[in-house]
Amino acid sequence: MTQPRKIIIDTDPGQDDAVALLLALASPELDVLAITVVAGNVPLPLTELNTRKIVELSGRTDVPIYAGCAEPMDRKLVTAEHVHGRTGLDGPTLPDPKIQLQPEHAVDFLIETLRTTPDVTLCPLGPLTNIATALQRAPEIKENIREIVLMGGGFFEGGNITPAAEFNIYVDPTAADIVLRSGIQTTILPLDCTHNALTTAPRVAAFRALPNRAGPAVAELTDFFERYDKEKYGSEGAPLHDPTVIAYLLDPTLFETRHINVTVETKSDLTLGATVADWWRVTDRKPNATWVRNLDADGFFKLLTDRLATLP
Ligand code: RIB
Ligand code: CA
């Protein structure tokens, strides 16, 4: 096997973030250098607590966790308790974690690590505040970032927090703009892709049937998480957004992509946070991102379930 791919996951758990963390921590192809936490689905004190709970559930207490930005770069925090519940991780009852946060701020950690560690892939699963703040304070770290693979945005599917914008981008459009203009190789898993990764009953039953703690816990996470989207979209399951980022690293052949220009709206009240994806290349704007348009959903859920089965 080639050397494991070095990654840092930036996250705002959130049930779907939790499943993404479990998938990454169960996959030996990935060397999870650290997990950095950002405010998003719920405020930072809860996203960091939720991260520690999930890492403890995975058994991978060797992976350090750093808390980062509690507010977006230049606007008030918008949260999503209506989707994720008051705790941000409603569903299973998980014990209070023993593992503690690292003392350093996540942004300081990102800068120090990326100044000296080459070939690192960043995997943002929430608002891009930590990543953009690090890039703004220390632009030289770009040299050591191999790729940014993020969940965010939407074009053919529109938005989910407003008609035009997806939540991660909407919470901090300025941060998203900094990342998209950074020149760093960036791959985007937008709603166009994740809305095809639905937690249907047979797929959740496969999680629940796993003979370990992680499988049933994931089923309880999705049982809670899917109620909102099933009602909203009238679909047979909820889109399992964030784990698609990790699955893309593990098996990119499951995904349909195109290298295009993606520009984010940072000013208009009506469309703030919209990701304008030039899928048909009708502008002369330079391609700056790989946009993931769709996935093999059965292949994705098989990969996810097989990996969850290897956890305690
Ligand atoms: O719009 C979906 C995204 O927003 C996911 O990352 C979810 O966890 C929330 O952060
Ligand atoms: Ca998230």
Side-chain angles (χ1 to χ4, degrees), residues 5 16 30 82 88 91 104 113 115 120 174 186 202 213 226 241 258 272 288 312:
R5 185 167 180 169
D16 59 322
L30 304 175
H82 59 290
E104 258 186 311
T113 301
R115 274 184 173 143
V120 177
T174 301
T186 298
R213 278 183 308 149
E226 68 180 11
H241 305 286
R258 186 177 290 180
L272 186 71
N288 62 340

Short mmCIF file of all heavy atoms in Angstrom, two decimals, residues 5 16 30 82 88 91 104 113 115 120 174 186 202 213 226 241 258 272 288 312:
data_model
loop_
_atom_site.label_atom_id
_atom_site.label_comp_id
_atom_site.label_asym_id
_atom_site.label_seq_id
_atom_site.Cartn_x
_atom_site.Cartn_y
_atom_site.Cartn_z
N ARG A 5 -2.58 8.91 3.05
CA ARG A 5 -2.72 10.33 2.68
C ARG A 5 -2.93 11.16 3.94
O ARG A 5 -3.83 10.89 4.74
CB ARG A 5 -3.91 10.48 1.74
CG ARG A 5 -4.10 11.87 1.19
CD ARG A 5 -5.09 11.87 0.04
NE ARG A 5 -5.27 13.22 -0.50
CZ ARG A 5 -5.91 13.47 -1.64
NH1 ARG A 5 -6.44 12.47 -2.35
NH2 ARG A 5 -6.04 14.71 -2.06
N ASP A 16 -24.11 14.46 10.30
CA ASP A 16 -23.42 13.98 9.09
C ASP A 16 -21.91 14.15 9.20
O ASP A 16 -21.14 13.31 8.73
CB ASP A 16 -23.97 14.63 7.82
CG ASP A 16 -23.85 16.15 7.82
OD1 ASP A 16 -24.03 16.76 8.88
OD2 ASP A 16 -23.56 16.72 6.75
N LEU A 30 -5.97 6.74 5.13
CA LEU A 30 -5.90 8.14 5.54
C LEU A 30 -5.14 8.27 6.86
O LEU A 30 -5.37 7.51 7.80
CB LEU A 30 -7.32 8.72 5.70
CG LEU A 30 -8.22 8.61 4.47
CD1 LEU A 30 -9.63 9.10 4.80
CD2 LEU A 30 -7.62 9.38 3.29
N HIS A 82 -32.43 23.48 14.02
CA HIS A 82 -33.68 22.93 13.47
C HIS A 82 -33.41 21.62 12.70
O HIS A 82 -34.30 20.79 12.54
CB HIS A 82 -34.35 23.96 12.55
CG HIS A 82 -33.53 24.42 11.39
ND1 HIS A 82 -32.40 25.23 11.53
CD2 HIS A 82 -33.64 24.16 10.08
CE1 HIS A 82 -31.88 25.46 10.35
NE2 HIS A 82 -32.60 24.82 9.45
N GLY A 88 -26.85 19.50 18.66
CA GLY A 88 -26.10 19.34 17.41
C GLY A 88 -25.79 17.89 17.10
O GLY A 88 -25.35 17.56 15.99
N GLY A 91 -29.97 12.26 18.91
CA GLY A 91 -30.10 10.90 18.38
C GLY A 91 -29.58 9.95 19.44
O GLY A 91 -30.28 9.70 20.43
N GLU A 104 -3.95 24.54 22.04
CA GLU A 104 -3.76 25.55 20.99
C GLU A 104 -5.05 25.85 20.24
O GLU A 104 -5.87 24.94 20.02
CB GLU A 104 -2.76 24.98 19.97
CG GLU A 104 -1.36 25.48 20.05
CD GLU A 104 -0.56 24.93 18.87
OE1 GLU A 104 -0.64 23.72 18.62
OE2 GLU A 104 0.06 25.73 18.18
N THR A 113 1.46 23.80 11.68
CA THR A 113 1.61 22.48 11.04
C THR A 113 1.85 22.63 9.54
O THR A 113 2.75 22.00 8.97
CB THR A 113 0.34 21.63 11.29
OG1 THR A 113 0.18 21.48 12.70
CG2 THR A 113 0.43 20.28 10.62
N ARG A 115 3.12 25.07 7.95
CA ARG A 115 4.39 25.71 7.62
C ARG A 115 5.49 24.66 7.44
O ARG A 115 6.46 24.87 6.71
CB ARG A 115 4.81 26.69 8.72
CG ARG A 115 4.22 28.08 8.55
CD ARG A 115 4.71 29.07 9.57
NE ARG A 115 4.23 30.44 9.25
CZ ARG A 115 3.87 31.32 10.18
NH1 ARG A 115 3.97 30.99 11.48
NH2 ARG A 115 3.44 32.52 9.85
N VAL A 120 -0.39 18.03 2.57
CA VAL A 120 -1.53 17.81 3.45
C VAL A 120 -2.82 18.16 2.71
O VAL A 120 -2.92 19.19 2.04
CB VAL A 120 -1.44 18.66 4.73
CG1 VAL A 120 -2.67 18.48 5.60
CG2 VAL A 120 -0.16 18.31 5.52
N THR A 174 -17.46 35.13 3.07
CA THR A 174 -16.14 35.75 2.93
C THR A 174 -15.04 34.69 3.00
O THR A 174 -14.11 34.69 2.20
CB THR A 174 -15.94 36.81 4.04
OG1 THR A 174 -16.97 37.79 3.91
CG2 THR A 174 -14.58 37.47 3.95
N THR A 186 -8.87 22.68 -5.40
CA THR A 186 -10.06 22.55 -4.54
C THR A 186 -11.11 21.68 -5.21
O THR A 186 -11.41 21.85 -6.39
CB THR A 186 -10.65 23.95 -4.25
OG1 THR A 186 -9.65 24.72 -3.55
CG2 THR A 186 -11.90 23.86 -3.38
N PRO A 202 -33.31 0.74 3.79
CA PRO A 202 -32.37 -0.40 3.73
C PRO A 202 -30.94 -0.01 4.10
O PRO A 202 -30.21 -0.77 4.73
CB PRO A 202 -32.45 -0.86 2.27
CG PRO A 202 -33.75 -0.33 1.76
CD PRO A 202 -33.99 0.95 2.51
N ARG A 213 -20.58 -1.00 18.27
CA ARG A 213 -21.25 0.20 18.82
C ARG A 213 -21.47 1.25 17.74
O ARG A 213 -22.48 1.95 17.70
CB ARG A 213 -20.39 0.81 19.94
CG ARG A 213 -20.54 0.14 21.29
CD ARG A 213 -19.72 0.86 22.34
NE ARG A 213 -18.34 1.01 21.88
CZ ARG A 213 -17.56 2.07 22.23
NH1 ARG A 213 -18.03 3.02 23.00
NH2 ARG A 213 -16.32 2.15 21.78
N GLU A 226 -32.47 12.62 9.73
CA GLU A 226 -33.22 12.56 8.45
C GLU A 226 -34.64 13.09 8.59
O GLU A 226 -35.27 13.44 7.59
CB GLU A 226 -33.24 11.13 7.92
CG GLU A 226 -34.04 10.13 8.72
CD GLU A 226 -33.99 8.74 8.10
OE1 GLU A 226 -33.18 8.49 7.18
OE2 GLU A 226 -34.78 7.89 8.54
N HIS A 241 -24.51 14.37 3.72
CA HIS A 241 -23.59 15.29 3.04
C HIS A 241 -22.11 15.00 3.30
O HIS A 241 -21.37 14.66 2.38
CB HIS A 241 -23.86 16.74 3.50
CG HIS A 241 -25.28 17.19 3.34
ND1 HIS A 241 -25.84 17.51 2.12
CD2 HIS A 241 -26.24 17.40 4.26
CE1 HIS A 241 -27.09 17.90 2.31
NE2 HIS A 241 -27.37 17.84 3.59
N ARG A 258 -16.31 17.75 -12.84
CA ARG A 258 -15.89 18.60 -13.97
C ARG A 258 -15.10 19.78 -13.38
O ARG A 258 -15.52 20.32 -12.33
CB ARG A 258 -17.12 19.10 -14.74
CG ARG A 258 -16.78 19.88 -16.01
CD ARG A 258 -18.04 20.30 -16.77
NE ARG A 258 -18.72 19.17 -17.38
CZ ARG A 258 -19.85 19.32 -18.10
NH1 ARG A 258 -20.41 20.51 -18.25
NH2 ARG A 258 -20.44 18.26 -18.65
N LEU A 272 -26.86 35.95 -1.01
CA LEU A 272 -25.60 35.82 -0.26
C LEU A 272 -25.23 34.35 -0.06
O LEU A 272 -26.07 33.54 0.32
CB LEU A 272 -25.76 36.50 1.11
CG LEU A 272 -24.49 36.57 1.95
CD1 LEU A 272 -23.52 37.59 1.35
CD2 LEU A 272 -24.81 36.93 3.39
N ASN A 288 -11.45 27.05 -11.34
CA ASN A 288 -10.72 27.12 -10.05
C ASN A 288 -11.12 26.01 -9.09
O ASN A 288 -10.69 25.99 -7.94
CB ASN A 288 -10.97 28.47 -9.37
CG ASN A 288 -12.46 28.67 -9.05
OD1 ASN A 288 -13.32 28.01 -9.64
ND2 ASN A 288 -12.77 29.54 -8.11
N PRO A 312 -14.96 -0.19 16.65
CA PRO A 312 -15.41 -0.90 17.86
C PRO A 312 -16.92 -0.84 18.07
O PRO A 312 -17.57 0.11 17.62
CB PRO A 312 -14.70 -0.15 19.01
CG PRO A 312 -13.80 0.82 18.41
CD PRO A 312 -14.06 0.92 16.96
#
